[in-house]
Amino acid sequence: MSGQSLLAPGELSPIRSVPGNIRRPEYVGKPAPTPYTGPEVQTPETVEAMRVAGRIAARAMAEAAKIIAPGVTTDELDKVAHEYMCDHGAYPSTLGYRNFPKSLCTSINEVICHGIPDSTVLRDGDIINLDVTAYIGGVHGDNNATYLVGDVDEESRLLVERTRESLNRAIKAVKPGRQINVIGRVIESYAKRFGYGVVRDFTGHGINSSFHSGLIIPHYDSPHATTVIQPGMTFTIEPMLTLGTHEYDMWDDGWTVVTKDRKRTAQFEHTLVVTETGTEILTLP
């Protein structure tokens, strides 16, 4: 595996502003969101709004990814995604969510998820996950992907490639009438072929007018995930695979989650709506 030194927190830039005419999610300025009490099956109108939000989130992530290179800071990536969403009338969902200070998450190497963009400089050989969510039309669209920075070692490259494949396989397994745990079963069985760990404590989730509706999508074969999949349900699948243990530590910032053994980890995510025969991906650029 790459011999890169471990990460340490950088310096945060000031919180970026959002034009006043852009609608904010209800949780902005509050310590926590109001719990969602609505249905997991959404109306066609809500799904159509989520297509718009998902498309903007996917394009914002793609714009930020264009500048990934050694020497670029994670704060620069945040600026690109922030400006893209604002320019297209969307609010960056993570900004102010439970006091998160930035407009996307940037998770490098051993960071499983929720890394905060700061002055950290990308290095040749790193891998980095960008997690972008856009809020527009009263709904959210959420996606993430892991990218290679410069010349990346083969073990890390394969981890990224196989994590993407685990998401693709999980999406294909989603069918009305099946239980939610089919998703984790597919991911875990594929990951085990390569000896990868599957993160258990951070999951996919229901999403709609709420950033996290309360529906949980485990990425391992959980006997408790017995909810039956129905047409019109909207949720994310976002497997996090590791080169070692699935156990983790959290930085003092209360957000940045790193593998306990500090081995590398990768993640991919899409927001989906269940159709009569399978799924439609809502976060395609």
Side-chain angles (χ1 to χ4, degrees):
M1 193 184 82
S2 170
Q4 299 280 47
S5 59
L6 297 179
L7 294 166
E11 295 294 322
L12 286 177
S13 64
I15 292 176
R16 303 187 197 283
S17 63
V18 176
N21 64 322
I22 293 178
R23 178 179 173 184
R24 272 74 169 154
E26 59 83 24
Y27 52 74
V28 174
K30 297 163 53 178
T34 302
Y36 179 73
T37 57
E40 298 298 346
V41 172
Q42 303 305 309
T43 66
E45 292 75 19
T46 296
V47 172
E48 179 55 34
M50 290 180 68
R51 286 190 185 97
V52 174
R55 192 176 306 122
I56 291 173
R59 290 175 177 171
M61 184 173 72
E63 285 301 306
K66 286 179 182 178
I67 70 163
I68 289 174
V72 172
T73 68
T74 54
D75 190 64
E76 291 174 83
L77 300 172
D78 181 77
K79 182 176 186 290
V80 171
H82 177 94
E83 291 180 351
Y84 185 92
M85 286 185 272
C86 291
D87 287 348
H88 290 81
Y91 185 91
S93 300
T94 60
L95 185 61
Y97 179 79
R98 298 183 182 272
N99 296 314
F100 191 86
K102 292 295 174 182
S103 297
L104 80 165
C105 300
T106 50
S107 301
I108 303 171
N109 297 345
E110 69 268 22
V111 180
I112 295 171
C113 57
H114 304 158
I116 301 174
D118 58 19
S119 62
T120 299
V121 176
L122 295 179
R123 302 161 298 181
D124 187 60
D126 284 340
I127 60 175
I128 180 171
N129 179 273
L130 305 185
D131 193 339
V132 180
T133 310
Y135 177 80
I136 188 171
V139 297
H140 301 267
D142 185 3
N143 68 162
N144 77 55
T146 302
Y147 300 88
L148 310 181
V149 184
D151 185 17
V152 175
D153 67 274
E154 181 73 356
E155 185 178 38
S156 298
R157 188 188 65 76
L158 285 173
L159 173 68
V160 171
E161 180 181 299
R162 290 163 176 167
T163 304
R164 181 191 291 112
E165 176 63 15
S166 77
L167 172 60
N168 293 339
R169 288 173 180 237
I171 291 171
K172 290 176 182 176
V174 175
K175 305 287 184 187
R178 293 180 174 176
Q179 294 182 343
I180 288 291
N181 58 13
V182 69
I183 295 168
R185 188 176 309 130
V186 166
I187 292 167
E188 188 173 38
S189 63
Y190 180 71
K192 280 184 174 179
R193 288 168 49 181
F194 310 104
Y196 295 155
V198 181
V199 172
R200 302 166 79 90
D201 290 347
F202 299 90
T203 68
H205 53 88
I207 184 170
N208 38 67
S209 60
S210 173
F211 195 170
H212 300 86
S213 73
L215 177 66
I216 302 298
I217 312 294
H219 302 122
Y220 65 99
D221 188 4
S222 169
H224 306 294
T226 56
T227 299
V228 175
I229 298 169
Q230 302 176 59
M233 292 176 76
T234 50
F235 52 81
T236 72
I237 304 176
E238 45 189 297
M240 291 151 264
L241 305 187
T242 69
L243 289 176
T245 182
H246 68 268
E247 296 180 346
Y248 67 92
D249 293 319
M250 186 175 287
W251 283 4
D252 292 342
D253 61 24
W255 283 105
T256 307
V257 179
V258 295
T259 54
K260 187 168 282 291
D261 58 12
R262 304 302 190 264
K263 291 186 177 180
R264 289 188 168 190
T265 175
Q267 181 184 16
F268 284 84
E269 173 187 25
H270 275 306
T271 294
L272 314 169
V273 60
V274 181
T275 67
E276 294 295 335
T277 58
T279 62
E280 176 192 343
I281 299 173
L282 299 178
T283 41
L284 291 176

